[in-house]
Amino acid sequence: MNRAVYLAGWGWVAIAVAALVRGPAVPPRYSPFPIDRAVHPTALPPGPSDGYAWFERNKPYCNTLEVETRLRHDPAPSTTEGAGYAAACLALAGRMVEAKAFIDALSQSEREAAAGIVFGVGHPVADMGDDASAGPMMRLVVEYQPWNYMAMYHAGISYYELGEAELARDHLVRFLEMYSAHDGWRSNAEHVLKSLRRDGVR
């Protein structure tokens, strides 16, 4: 085999391997739509998305002081995805009433998808252990996705941390009814429920 051809072939292999290791240049987005009612966010192929691009542009302003002005000057796209990301932005700023209004303005069939976007934004924060901060977002998600067992779990833990014992019990019992895996999520839910029972919450 010609040496130049041989080296060129290996060069292409090296480029392909480097691309696989490096991963996509654009951060993965999250699907707002459940796949077989799977709850964990599903990475989509990198690509343009008006709603996602709007959120990435405006995420630094999703805080109590700036969110209202920012949404007025740079409105989210008038799509299900845009409404979902606008709701997520407002939820990050603690404006839960306004976040809910964005979802409620959609048709019944679109609300679940928009809530899925809110879940995709808030879930990483909850999984890092900050259930108190992510709790309001997870409770909003549960309202539209009552089958979402991870949102149910995080909502329950957040209620427990807030001292809302009966709400914590209700959400964690429901979580265990839906969640079949025997792992840390189940163990922690069971531990909290035992603690609640010791405190007289049945």
Side-chain angles (χ1 to χ4, degrees):
M1 178 184 293
N2 183 286
R3 179 177 175 79
V5 174
Y6 178 83
L7 291 176
W10 276 108
W12 283 110
V13 170
I15 291 171
V17 170
L20 287 172
V21 171
R22 185 171 59 251
V26 180
R29 293 178 287 120
Y30 294 104
S31 169
F33 301 100
I35 298 175
D36 295 331
R37 286 238 186 272
V39 174
H40 293 284
T42 302
L44 293 173
S49 162
D50 289 344
Y52 180 74
W54 178 89
F55 181 69
E56 286 295 289
R57 183 170 69 248
N58 286 284
K59 187 160 65 170
Y61 307 99
C62 296
N63 59 70
T64 304
L65 292 175
E66 298 173 284
V67 66
E68 186 174 343
T69 302
R70 190 67 180 183
L71 282 171
R72 188 163 56 247
H73 289 292
D74 186 6
S78 299
T79 61
T80 302
E81 187 185 45
Y85 278 117
C89 182
L90 285 160
L92 287 172
R95 307 285 286 270
M96 304 309 299
V97 173
E98 292 95 328
K100 187 177 185 305
F102 262 93
I103 297 177
D104 286 341
L106 298 171
S107 68
Q108 189 69 40
S109 61
E110 294 174 307
R111 291 173 188 170
E112 185 176 297
I117 292 174
V118 176
F119 176 76
V121 171
H123 190 214
V125 177
D127 269 358
M128 286 189 291
D130 193 354
D131 286 295
S133 296
M137 295 180 77
M138 296 297 104
R139 296 194 290 273
L140 181 65
V141 171
V142 165
E143 186 171 343
Y144 301 96
Q145 294 186 347
W147 49 265
N148 187 324
Y149 53 83
M150 286 312 301
M152 191 72 69
Y153 168 85
H154 290 301
I157 296 298
S158 72
Y159 276 128
Y160 177 69
E161 293 180 356
L162 290 170
E164 298 281 355
E166 293 183 359
L167 287 170
R169 175 203 60 202
D170 293 345
H171 282 71
L172 292 176
V173 166
R174 181 71 183 121
F175 164 74
L176 291 175
E177 290 172 351
M178 293 188 287
Y179 195 66
S180 59
H182 293 275
D183 56 14
W185 304 117
R186 172 173 286 275
S187 296
N188 197 45
E190 291 173 343
H191 173 76
V192 170
L193 287 170
K194 286 180 182 177
S195 177
L196 289 172
R197 283 194 291 271
R198 286 196 298 269
D199 293 337
V201 180
R202 302 294 176 185

